[in-house]
């Protein structure tokens, strides 16, 4: 599932590609991916200019000049491509938004969705989310305060969107590796210094992954060399049985509440 770095990468690149353009057509191939009738969606979206794209947690918000917002969550397996019928991937699309000669294709939207909402309803949908970990006003003290002494495992805490927004299965493991702490530890066992290290690791890992284009495997548009640049840079995620880059130990896999979890047995304590 795309996490904060992947969605932030999409936001930046789609802003360059599409903001300021007007939606000239909307094709809906899966009605369940939207929240209105096809006719209403087309009536309200087509002819409206895209004024800005914002990100909150793992969501993107496409603001339209009409005043409505398109709220996107890709969930598991969703991704996007921006291009033409000639260069688009040979995949089924659920929604297509055309902006003149360019079209934004939404692919793999099975659990994911694109909802057309008044801004206040979009905000209400995001109301329960915790703070953005890369926000300048999100401090180490706030981070520690949210987690220290709580019950449950470290990984479970890091991916809890109510506590902190945008971290999922991959980056929670990468953050724990960067901090040298096992994701299987319980929050109560961790000392203040551990939380400080986890805060710094959270910022560092998410910042670097975003700068490297996240881990999505498919480019966003023809000639896109940025998207997916972090895929080869994961230190533990999906590397079970492989040697640790830091100490040469073996990366192991376990499950925490049904989620794949990876860490180094030797250098994470
Ligand atoms: Zn190691």
């Amino acid at each position: 599932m795309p996490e904060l770095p992947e969605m932030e990468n999409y936001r930046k690149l789609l802003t360059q590609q599409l903001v300021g353009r007007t939606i000239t057509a909307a094709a809906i191939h899966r009605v369940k991916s939207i929240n209105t009738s096809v006719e209403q969606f087309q009536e309200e979206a087509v002819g409206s200019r895209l004024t800005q794209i914002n990100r909150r947690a793992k969501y993107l918000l496409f603001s339209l000049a009409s005043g409505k917002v398109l709220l996107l969550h890709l969930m598991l397996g969703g991704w996007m491509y921006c291009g033409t019928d000639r260069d688009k991937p040979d995949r089924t699309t659920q929604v297509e938004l055309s902006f003149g000669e360019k079209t934004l294709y939404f692919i793999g939207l099975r659990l994911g969705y694109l909802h057309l909402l008044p801004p206040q309803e979009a905000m209400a949908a995001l109301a329960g989310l915790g703070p953005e970990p890369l926000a300048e006003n999100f401090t180490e003290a706030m981070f520690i305060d949210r987690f220290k002494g709580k019950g449950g495992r470290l990984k479970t805490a890091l991916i809890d969107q109510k506590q902190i927004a945008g971290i999922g299965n991959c980056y929670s493991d990468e953050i724990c590796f960067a901090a040298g702490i096992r994701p299987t530890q319980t929050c109560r066992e961790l000392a203040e210094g551990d939380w400080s290290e986890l805060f710094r690791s959270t910022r560092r890992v998410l910042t670097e992954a975003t700068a490297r284009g996240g881990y999505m495997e498919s480019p966003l548009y023809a000639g896109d060399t940025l998207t997916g640049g972090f895929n080869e840079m994961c230190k533990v995620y999906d590397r079970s049985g492989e040697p640790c880059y830091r100490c040469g130990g073996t990366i192991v896999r376990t499950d925490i509440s049904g989620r794949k979890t990876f860490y180094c047995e030797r250098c994470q304590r």
Side-chain angles (χ1 to χ4, degrees), residues 27-31 92-96:
I28 314 297
H29 303 302
R30 185 177 186 277
V31 179
T92 307
T93 63
Q94 287 71 50
V95 179
E96 301 180 3

Side-chain angles (χ1 to χ4, degrees), residues 41 51-52 72 153 162 177:
F41 190 95
T51 56
Q52 59 177 330
L72 171 72
R153 308 286 191 107
K162 295 190 294 298
F177 177 80

